[in-house]
Amino acid sequence: MQAVRRVAAVLVCPLIACLGVGCDRSAPAAPHSAVGPRADLIGTPTQAPDWVARALLGLDLLVVDPATALVQPDDPDDDPITVVPFEFDPNHSSLVRSFWLRGTGCPLDATAVDFFGASTPVNDAACPTGGPKDTKQEGLLLVKTGPSVENFASAGASLKGVKGITLSELGYDIRKGLAPVNLAGSHCGAGAPRFNVVTDDGTNHFVGCNSPPAMVMSFSPAWVRLRWGTAQLAAAFPPISAGNVIRSITIIFDEGTDTGPDFFGLAILDNIDVNGTLVGKGPGN
């Protein structure tokens, strides 16, 4: 634990000093005008240092305590990319959770049956495509209950099979009706859920749900499909270029129930997208 605190101090103290002298390395702001639904940065620019400070803790670079990590055995998976949930909770707060759960994902080729036995196909307009092996409508549940900053803990998932690639697209479907700025449904903030992308030069890049703004590819009253292409990745913090070689990618959820505007502390994702490959299931169900 002392080692973890020392690592956090080394990472955080320079950031605090930088912010104290007016450092301008903040999260990219959303454009002031656009047509149609889009993933806008919620809040004022003064909020950015909060999530940046937490992001720069580099949770995915720290060693996860095996005593608090979620052990999720599953059948061997030969998919080129897998999404493996984890929980970073070194102080045993029991306030974070990450898990693939059946019945929580964006429905595709599902069937509902009523009291009389009549069946109805169930397909959500937001997800016309999905992970090819997702037969149980699985979704990735990410939860942080309680305070964001005061609790050094996060829910997350590691993307396996991405080392050595270059990025042309990242994305996911999020259980949130009509638009990312909608207050109902999953939390979609500037800092969570976010991709932490580490490139071969050791730089940690942040792609938040609302910063930089994503392309909204499709939506419904229950789900929104978000995509970050090359132009959006170039607006990440710091920018991700088409030539950057990837060392690792993780999904981090570390904004709790004290973070607005929804104060929900929970997100459900599905169909994690890496360069067009969709992952809609994983260990844990």
Side-chain angles (χ1 to χ4, degrees):
M1 178 51 60
Q2 291 300 324
V4 172
R5 288 174 178 164
R6 283 196 295 271
V7 171
V10 169
L11 291 169
V12 174
C13 290
L15 175 65
I16 294 174
C18 176
L19 295 176
V21 296
C23 177
D24 60 357
R25 294 184 65 187
S26 56
H32 292 293
S33 62
V35 178
R38 57 188 174 85
D40 288 325
L41 175 64
I42 298 176
T44 63
T46 57
Q47 293 174 312
D50 290 335
W51 79 262
V52 172
R54 295 196 303 277
L56 289 179
L57 288 171
L59 297 181
D60 57 315
L61 301 178
L62 298 176
V63 177
V64 178
D65 184 351
T68 61
L70 188 63
V71 178
Q72 302 178 107
D74 199 20
D75 294 333
D77 200 338
D78 58 358
D79 291 336
I81 296 174
T82 56
V83 178
V84 181
F86 68 84
E87 295 164 4
F88 177 80
D89 193 11
N91 298 305
H92 308 279
S93 69
S94 298
L95 291 172
V96 291
R97 183 68 162 167
S98 178
F99 213 72
W100 281 101
L101 289 173
R102 66 180 178 271
T104 63
C106 192
L108 177 63
D109 296 329
T111 302
V113 181
D114 69 11
F115 178 80
F116 301 100
S119 61
T120 302
V122 180
N123 295 281
D124 196 289
C127 52
T129 56
K133 295 186 177 182
D134 181 15
T135 60
K136 298 180 181 179
Q137 315 303 324
E138 293 184 37
L140 178 61
L141 174 70
L142 301 168
V143 182
K144 183 169 184 178
T145 302
S148 300
V149 177
E150 291 81 1
N151 188 23
F152 184 49
S154 66
S158 297
L159 278 60
K160 307 299 183 182
V162 300
K163 185 176 182 179
I165 70 171
T166 57
L167 279 179
S168 59
E169 181 175 275
L170 281 177
Y172 46 66
D173 301 343
I174 185 166
R175 190 160 176 163
K176 190 171 188 69
L178 301 178
V181 295
N182 185 0
L183 297 185
S186 296
H187 176 67
C188 180
R194 72 176 178 274
F195 290 102
N196 276 18
V197 180
V198 180
T199 47
D200 234 12
D201 59 1
T203 303
N204 202 348
H205 307 260
F206 309 115
V207 181
C209 188
N210 260 311
S211 180
M215 296 181 289
V216 175
M217 309 304 293
S218 52
F219 59 94
S220 73
W223 288 87
V224 181
R225 173 160 288 188
L226 301 179
R227 294 294 183 266
W228 291 267
T230 53
Q232 290 74 34
L233 293 172
F237 178 72
I240 302 172
S241 70
N244 284 141
V245 177
I246 303 306
R247 180 183 296 176
S248 67
I249 303 176
T250 53
I251 298 172
I252 299 292
F253 191 86
D254 58 358
E255 293 185 334
T257 47
D258 61 350
T259 302
D262 51 88
F263 303 99
F264 196 44
L266 181 154
I268 298 176
L269 308 181
D270 198 2
N271 300 320
I272 314 302
D273 177 9
V274 179
N275 293 348
T277 296
L278 303 185
V279 180
K281 66 181 290 292
N285 198 27

